[in-house]
Each structure stands twice: as C-alpha cells, then as structure tokens.
Amino acid sequence: MDFPFSAQAGRVIARLEEQGYEAYAVGGCVRDALLGRTPHDWDIATSALPEETARCFADCRVLETGARHGTVTVLLDGEACEVTTYRVEAGYTDGRRPDQVKFVRRLEDDLARRDFTINAMAYHPVRGLVDLFGGRADLDAGRIRCVGEARRRFQEDGLRILRGLRFAAAYGFIIEEATARAMREERERLHLIAAERVNVEFRRLLTGRDAPRILREFAPVFGVFLPEIRSMWGFEQRNPHHCWDVWEHTLRALESAGSDFLVRAAVLFHDSGKPSTYTQDGAGIGHFYGHPAVSERLADEALRRLKFDTDTRKRIVRLVKYHDVSIDNQPGCVRRWLNRLGEEDFRRLLQIKRADTLAQAPLYQPPRLELLAGLEGTLQTVLAQQDCFRLRDLAVNGRDVLAAGIPSGPAVGEALRYLLDGVIDGRFPNERAALAGALESWKGDNEGRGYSRPPVGR
Ligand code: ATP
Ligand code: MG
C-alpha cells in the first residue's frame, strides 16, 4: 500500500516499541493519508501509560498537555507529536463528555471508542493498516458511518452528529442510512453541547464543498442550534423575481457563493428576516420591506450565541445588512463602498450579490449580473489607479490641517473627513494644493460654528 508516512511519527513509534510498548498512528492522520491529503498532524496511540511515554522520551522535551486524558506532547527533532495512551471512555451521563477515561492496553478497544469508521483506523510502518470496522471501504465509497450502534454513539456525545455532517460536507461524502437516521433522531442532543465546540465544527462544515447539500438534507439538525433558519423552510415568496421558497433560494445562493466562510455565513442568514417581514399587495405579490435589518439582527443573535469572535460576527452581520443595497456603477460610489467596507469585504459583498442573483428567477438575472460585472471592472480600475478611498491615501494629513490653523481637537478629524469625502466623490482631486484650497473654504464655512462639520447633503 502506498502510504505517505511521516518520518517523525515513525521515529516516535520506533522509540516506544524499543521499550517494549506498542504504538500506531491513528485517527484523522490515517484517514487523510488514505485520502491522499497531507495530514496536518500525526497522532500516535500507544499501550504505554503517559508517565511511561514520558520516560521513553526523557532526553526530549515532553509537555503534559492532557496527561489526565492520556495525552503527552513529545518534541522530537523540533517537531511536536501528540502521543495518547490507548483508552476507553465510560459513563456519558451528560451527553457531551465521558465521566471518566480508562487507560487500556489493547489497540482494538481504543479504536472502538472512535466516532466514525473512517476515523477509527490505525497505521503502523511495518505492520500496516489496522481496519477493524471497514473504514477503508467506507472511505473508498465516500461514506460516513458510525463505529457501533449510531444512536448510542450520538447519545454519548451529541457533537458527533455535527462532526459527521462536517466530514460529509468537507469530503462530499454520503451518510450511511442508519447513521443518518440516528443523526435526525438524536439531534436535540446538540442542545447539550458547549457553543464553542459547535462553533468549531459548524465553521468547518459551512466551508465544506458540499455544505449546501448537507444543509438541505439535514435542515432539522441545523434548526436545533440555529432556530433562525427554521422560518425560511418552505416559505413561499410569491414574487416574480423569485422561483424558490426562501430556504431553497438560500441553499442555491450558497451553491454559487464560493468557499469563503464570511461569504457563506452571510448568505446563510441574508434572507432570514424575510418570513417575518412578509406582506402581500393588492395584486397578491409578496414583498419583504426592511428584511435586511431583521436578517441582520437574527444573524447577530445566532453568531453571538455560537460565540463567534467580535470581528468575525460584525463583518458577517454587516454583509447581511448590505446584501440588498443598490450600488451604482460609478467610481465615486465604488470608492465610497471601499471606504466603508475595505477591499476584502467589498469583494465579498459583490460575491454575495452575485450568489443571491444566481438563485433568483432566471428572467431577471442578466441585467443584475451585468451590473455586478461592471462593478468588478470599476473596482479593478479604482484599485489599479490607486484612487484614494482611505484617510491614509489622502495627500494631506492631520499635521497639514493643524498647520492650516485648525485647532487641535475633533475639528481636525472633521476637516480630514470632509476632504476625504470630497476626494471620494470626485469633487476635488487628491492633490495638496487642491486640498489646501478646499480646507480654506471648509474653514470659512465653519469658523462661526466652532469648526464643526458642515452638513453634507448626501
Ligand atoms: P481533523 O483533525 O481533520 O479535524 P480529526 O478526525 O483528526 O479531524 P480530531 O478532533 O483531531 O479530528 O480527533 C482525532 C481523532 O479522535 C478522530 O479521528 C477520532 O478518531 C477521534 N475523535 C475525535 N473527536 C471524537 C468524538 N467526539 N467522539 C469519538 N471520537 C472522536
Ligand atoms: Mg486531527
């Protein structure tokens, strides 16, 4: 078998076995290597107890990273390798973590406690693959299947439901029938799982290539920890611009959204405010006035609950908020949006709008796609010309403003903002002389009002 084994993992295993213990590479690294992907780390499982492992590597740095659970980190030749004692877990009374772990001496027992067959294989550089549960066949067939009885495994730890869905989304795998049924039956178990653990899996799941399919097939599972999506299911739009219900529209938009997490998360929530803002006009046409603001609030609530970091949450929420704004294809308008969102997030906004459009009624797509293509072109030009759209691009700075006689304090920022707005809108060029002139007129307009910002009509 062609197996891209890590030399360092091989040395760790050899060292343990010289001392009379047994050791294997296990879990995710074996799965990834068989898939032809480079494993991001090599986990070693061994019959040695943590203190015995530490003794085997007495000449190396050994960190007691999780000795209670049997894991020590060995630093061999400058590389870190996690070595975990064979163990079984017992008594999952709370449905999320074992009451105790018990160290064992047999590899079979350690493999049997693992979640999915594809994650329950071991590899030894001499003895080869240990595959007791048909993991290899499931990998080849592209199938996620629990080790043992699926329902019981999800009752032990509800996070496994989401892990299974994550692997299916990431690898484009199907979920074996009994496992799929148990995921749906035991979905409420996800309520017991700490938000931080759900967060990690959900984030990876959503960026998986098959995330839309998994969201479609397992919507009720996601509804457990994302109640915000439930009202979208089957919600008819009754509007000529739309040919799908809100949820199906969302899934189709996701299919065209690329794999960036912020884009995908924003698309997932972008229309969540539609059901609660629905109105019907006299002709029986459905409208959703103000839905972006409601979607924005729902996204914010969901992301807070799932303990996303503030920056990530705010950026997703902002993309949701603006997903439906109309943006003119004018350099000034593009610069204004670049100023507001920065280049990365403005590109994301265009991506979201494109995905949104591609999931609408085909008849209305061409002009919208054309506008978006035009905006991309203008964006390229604005960036290539190095147009000014940020304070730091401005040809003058705070010192220049002070030198022009503006007193230090809030007036400096207001004057700079006035100049930047003018440059963004194309009212004056980004040149020192022109800006000095503009500053003089701003001073004139504001002298009597203590240099406060003039009301800009926009
Ligand atoms: P990746 O590291 O790519 O996310 P992984 O499968 O390696 O995937 P880890 O969280 O690193 O995931 O776990 C390592 C191994 O431990 C898994 O392959 C699996 O055998 C086992 N494992 C992890 N979490 C669970 C769990 N909740 N229940 C049972 N076994 C688990
Ligand atoms: Mg891993």
Side-chain angles (χ1 to χ4, degrees):
M1 182 177 38
D2 191 22
F3 195 94
F5 201 62
S6 138
Q8 194 232 11
R11 284 194 295 278
V12 172
I13 290 174
R15 174 83 73 101
L16 285 159
E17 298 203 334
E18 278 160 22
Q19 302 298 317
Y21 304 106
E22 184 186 272
Y24 284 84
V26 284
C29 59
V30 178
R31 175 199 69 220
D32 287 347
L34 289 173
L35 278 172
R37 298 169 174 236
T38 312
H40 46 79
D41 40 36
W42 289 84
D43 294 329
I44 306 299
T46 181
S47 59
L49 295 171
E51 58 274 20
E52 294 172 332
T53 301
R55 242 177 280 137
C56 289
F57 295 93
D59 58 332
C60 308
R61 265 193 79 193
V62 176
L63 309 171
E64 308 229 323
T65 29
R68 251 180 27 138
H69 299 105
T71 303
V72 296
T73 302
V74 173
L75 287 157
L76 188 65
D77 307 332
E79 268 184 86
C81 186
E82 288 202 341
V83 182
T84 306
T85 304
Y86 295 159
R87 59 171 208 222
V88 292
E89 298 168 344
Y92 291 90
T93 42
D94 63 359
R96 50 186 151 175
R97 70 178 91 79
D99 300 335
Q100 47 169 312
V101 308
K102 209 172 105 208
F103 298 139
V104 293
R105 293 283 182 180
R106 281 162 28 114
L107 173 67
E108 300 88 295
D109 298 329
D110 183 86
L111 294 178
R113 62 140 177 118
R114 293 171 185 271
D115 47 7
F116 302 103
T117 61
I118 61 168
N119 289 343
M121 289 181 278
Y123 183 83
H124 188 280
V126 176
R127 298 188 288 275
L129 189 70
V130 179
D131 175 16
L132 307 174
F133 308 102
R136 183 77 203 257
D138 284 335
L139 258 193
D140 291 343
R143 191 165 50 212
I144 302 296
R145 189 198 340 200
C146 281
V147 171
E149 195 208 322
R151 266 193 101 150
R152 196 170 61 82
R153 303 312 309 278
F154 295 142
Q155 286 163 2
E156 289 171 352
D157 178 2
L159 186 73
R160 289 173 185 157
I161 297 172
L162 210 49
R163 280 176 55 86
L165 296 178
R166 186 253 287 186
F167 291 118
Y171 301 149
F173 281 14
I174 59 150
I175 296 168
E176 176 270 333
E177 217 182 286
T179 301
R181 197 177 334 115
M183 283 174 164
R184 296 191 177 96
E185 286 167 350
E186 296 298 326
R187 64 181 184 274
E188 298 291 333
R189 299 261 159 193
L190 282 165
H191 278 308
L192 301 170
I193 307 301
E196 290 81 356
R197 294 178 77 205
V198 171
N199 179 317
V200 172
E201 295 300 333
F202 176 64
R203 201 186 262 259
R204 299 181 70 179
L205 191 155
L206 196 61
T207 51
R209 62 177 224 217
D210 265 3
R213 172 177 62 89
I214 295 298
L215 283 162
R216 180 182 283 114
E217 288 177 16
F218 292 88
V221 174
F222 294 93
V224 171
F225 63 96
L226 290 175
E228 293 78 10
I229 66 172
R230 291 188 204 161
S231 61
M232 291 193 271
W233 302 340
F235 196 95
E236 292 299 339
Q237 310 208 48
R238 300 183 211 292
N239 183 297
H241 289 275
H242 287 282
C243 49
W244 310 108
D245 68 58
V246 179
W247 181 237
E248 186 57 29
H249 160 75
T250 301
L251 297 176
R252 284 176 185 257
L254 276 173
E255 285 167 2
S256 314
S259 59
D260 177 80
F261 174 71
L262 298 191
V263 171
R264 287 213 173 174
V267 170
L268 180 65
F269 292 110
H270 80 289
D271 277 352
S272 55
K274 274 190 168 180
S276 64
T277 53
Y278 182 76
T279 54
Q280 231 176 43
D281 64 21
I285 308 265
H287 300 280
F288 306 93
Y289 300 116
H291 80 271
V294 178
S295 302
E296 181 191 351
R297 181 174 54 72
L298 292 173
D300 190 71
E301 282 170 15
L303 297 169
R304 277 178 197 275
R305 198 177 52 245
L306 289 181
K307 301 261 179 1
F308 276 88
D309 63 275
T310 309
D311 179 63
T312 303
R313 171 171 54 80
K314 288 196 161 160
R315 290 169 75 177
I316 295 169
V317 164
R318 192 170 62 166
L319 291 166
V320 170
K321 172 180 180 179
Y322 293 132
H323 80 269
D324 210 26
V325 292
S326 53
I327 303 177
D328 290 341
N329 185 15
Q330 300 291 339
C333 200
V334 167
R335 288 192 293 262
R336 167 81 40 217
W337 280 100
L338 281 170
N339 172 259
R340 198 173 278 155
L341 303 182
E343 182 188 337
E344 278 189 351
D345 280 359
F346 181 55
R347 284 189 188 280
R348 288 191 171 101
L349 182 62
L350 295 182
Q351 229 181 326
I352 291 163
K353 286 178 151 299
R354 216 178 91 83
D356 192 7
T357 304
L358 289 170
Q360 294 172 359
L363 183 64
Y364 297 92
Q365 289 184 18
R368 294 181 181 190
L369 294 175
E370 212 171 294
L371 171 66
L372 289 170
L375 280 167
E376 303 267 1
T378 306
L379 172 62
Q380 280 319 106
T381 311
V382 162
L383 294 174
Q385 289 174 178
Q386 301 192 304
D387 279 5
C388 163
F389 58 85
R390 294 166 296 201
L391 268 185
R392 68 175 132 112
D393 304 329
L394 205 58
V396 297
N397 60 25
R399 274 192 306 279
D400 299 311
V401 171
L402 287 169
I406 311 272
S408 76
V412 175
E414 287 168 20
L416 284 170
R417 185 72 225 185
Y418 168 77
L419 296 176
L420 178 62
D421 283 341
V423 170
I424 285 176
D425 292 346
R427 279 182 282 118
F428 19 88
N430 188 27
E431 288 160 11
R432 291 183 63 83
L435 295 179
L439 192 54
E440 284 311 309
S441 72
W442 183 82
K443 265 166 68 182
D445 289 347
N446 289 275
E447 215 124 28
R449 292 185 282 136
Y451 293 101
S452 76
R453 192 176 175 194
V456 229
R458 139 154 27 105

